[in-house]
Amino acid sequence: TGSTQPQRMLEAVQKNATKGDPESVFSAIDYYGRHKEWAMNVGDEKGLILDSVLTEVNPSIALELGTYCGYSTVRIARLLSPGSKLITVEFNPAFAAVARQIIAYAGVQDKVTLVEGPSGDLIPKMKERFGIKSFDFVFLDHWKDRYVPDTKLLEDCGLLRKGTVLLADNVICPGAPEYLKYVRNSPRYESRYFKSNLEYSKVEDGLEKSVFLG
Ligand SMILES: O=C(NC/C=C/[C@H]1O[C@@H](Sc2ccncc2)[C@H](O)[C@@H]1O)c1cc([N+](=O)[O-])cc(O)c1O
Ligand SMILES: [Mg+2]
């Protein structure tokens, strides 16, 4: 009965997932996205790459740009060590409202701070608002034309340190060609492409992992 896709996804979670079990929550969303209604979650295939990069980095403080319904928020938060934090930025209040409920249903709300507003406005306020020195890990999955400006903003605000890992979704589909040019041509990044498929589809997509060299 939910009128928007996020509301229908929340219903699918409440119906099919186990409260407090993050894995069952994102699996319920994957089932919905694959069998009911395509949805722009990073998904189960690219999700495995996200999991492995995250486990390797083991960030104390992580940033996600583009919460949507909270699928990757839950996927990331479940792997964070005790005391580690994920800040996720969402522009659309309706999406944020659903994401808060999905994050709470998964039981990871204590590890997650969801901030509402445009990344361009919020990034410069991160240090003062959250007492952050720099991020260990950044997941980019918001508007694709914001990847470059927000990466530059993170650099200019001193929010990246030697070794910070940026992981960008959709660099092939829908595509972030400017971003690929930027991180692959810059001497300040060591970049690598992880080939995969667009969520719930056979179309190629992939994640670009870029390590900031300082
Ligand atoms: O368009 C895509 N993603 C844009 C995501 C946007 C999300 O981030 C904010 S925008 C924002 C958030 C924060 N600050 C500023 C803006 C929107 O409210 C939405 O929640 C996309 C599209 C496809 N696809 O196949 O078409 C596949 C994907 O995996 C995608 O991620
Ligand atoms: Mg995406």
Side-chain angles (χ1 to χ4, degrees):
T1 52
S3 61
T4 68
Q5 178 180 63
Q7 283 168 331
R8 291 193 291 277
M9 264 197 255
L10 173 59
E11 279 188 24
V13 164
Q14 291 165 334
K15 181 162 165 278
N16 305 311
T18 307
K19 209 162 171 39
D21 174 356
E23 188 116 15
S24 75
V25 167
F26 65 76
S27 299
I29 296 172
D30 280 327
Y31 185 87
Y32 182 87
R34 186 174 291 280
H35 301 292
K36 301 289 180 208
E37 188 182 7
W38 187 88
M40 63 178 177
N41 313 122
V42 72
D44 42 1
E45 285 182 69
K46 289 184 287 178
L48 288 173
I49 301 167
L50 171 61
D51 289 354
S52 76
V53 172
L54 215 93
T55 306
E56 172 204 344
V57 177
N58 187 27
S60 300
I61 177 73
L63 173 67
E64 172 180 63
L65 301 176
T67 316
Y68 189 43
C69 294
Y71 174 93
S72 46
T73 318
V74 168
R75 209 166 172 131
I76 292 168
R78 89 189 198 283
L79 294 176
L80 293 179
S81 303
S84 298
K85 285 278 177 200
L86 169 64
I87 296 176
T88 183
V89 181
E90 178 49 52
F91 169 79
N92 180 314
F95 294 171
V98 167
R100 288 187 200 284
Q101 295 174 77
I102 288 178
I103 290 160
Y105 197 89
V108 294
Q109 68 284 351
D110 294 348
K111 294 173 176 285
V112 176
T113 303
L114 194 163
V115 276
E116 288 184 42
S119 48
D121 297 356
L122 290 168
I123 287 170
K125 295 175 182 152
M126 287 286 166
K127 286 198 181 227
E128 68 191 283
R129 271 213 199 164
F130 303 104
I132 290 157
K133 202 172 155 315
S134 56
F135 288 109
D136 304 314
F137 176 84
V138 182
F139 183 54
L140 298 93
D141 192 20
H142 58 333
W143 290 332
K144 309 315 160 193
D145 62 2
R146 287 297 315 173
Y147 284 19
V148 172
D150 284 347
T151 299
K152 288 180 173 170
L153 201 49
L154 286 164
E155 289 170 19
D156 299 345
C157 295
L159 284 164
L160 304 182
R161 47 101 177 147
K162 199 175 172 53
T164 297
V165 170
L166 305 186
L167 191 65
D169 190 25
N170 310 117
V171 294
I172 303 301
C173 178
E178 296 308 302
Y179 178 76
L180 284 184
K181 261 201 295 266
Y182 181 70
V183 289
R184 289 178 178 174
N185 298 345
S186 164
R188 303 184 78 185
Y189 293 92
E190 184 58 48
S191 220
R192 181 185 157 193
Y193 173 61
F194 289 78
K195 183 172 187 278
S196 185
N197 295 304
L198 181 69
E199 50 267 28
Y200 323 122
S201 145
K202 290 188 168 44
V203 172
E204 181 184 342
D205 187 23
L207 301 172
E208 186 81 0
K209 177 192 171 191
S210 308
V211 184
F212 187 61
L213 302 174

